[in-house]
Amino acid sequence: MEEERGNVEVCKNVEVSTKVTEPLLNVPNPRALQQNSVVSTTTIPGQSKYIQLLNVIEELGRDIRPSYAGSRTSAERIKRGIVHARILVRECLVETEKSARQ
């Protein structure tokens, strides 16, 4: 449906649609980090806390989008998850320092 008038092209009946996408939050999957091997979390010191931390971060990632949409329960879960993650980070640091001293 293009007509040419002089050097100017005129387009008729053109629909323009835009799609707004928000960037995805990439959260590491703790199961993928284990490389599909069965690891006992009690045999490796500090590993269990680290896996727990990764699980909390993964849960935080799932609640981000609903909280943007106005979900109060998701926002509360994010707040609790952040508090839990901070505690786990401290515990991981303590275990790392202990293992570094040995």
Side-chain angles (χ1 to χ4, degrees):
M1 299 287 174
E2 296 180 5
E3 298 175 359
E4 198 167 321
R5 295 181 185 168
N7 290 335
V8 179
E9 292 182 12
V10 178
C11 296
K12 295 180 182 177
N13 298 329
V14 176
E15 293 182 21
V16 177
S17 65
T18 59
K19 183 178 179 184
V20 177
T21 59
E22 53 184 76
L24 296 176
L25 177 65
N26 291 328
V27 177
N29 184 355
R31 286 157 201 86
L33 293 175
Q34 290 177 350
Q35 299 174 352
N36 297 329
S37 64
V38 177
V39 177
S40 174
T41 56
T42 58
T43 59
I44 303 172
Q47 186 71 19
S48 63
K49 296 292 181 187
Y50 182 71
I51 296 297
Q52 287 177 7
L53 178 60
L54 291 178
N55 286 331
V56 168
I57 293 170
E58 186 177 11
E59 291 171 11
L60 286 172
R62 280 187 244 138
D63 284 327
I64 295 292
R65 199 167 279 183
S67 68
Y68 277 134
S71 172
R72 290 182 183 171
T73 57
S74 290
E76 290 300 317
R77 277 194 303 257
I78 288 173
K79 289 176 187 176
R80 285 193 308 269
I82 289 171
V83 170
H84 190 201
R86 290 181 68 190
I87 293 168
L88 287 172
V89 166
R90 282 190 218 117
E91 291 174 358
C92 287
L93 288 173
V94 167
E95 288 183 6
T96 303
E97 289 174 2
K98 283 182 183 178
S99 65
R101 289 181 196 152
Q102 293 175 353

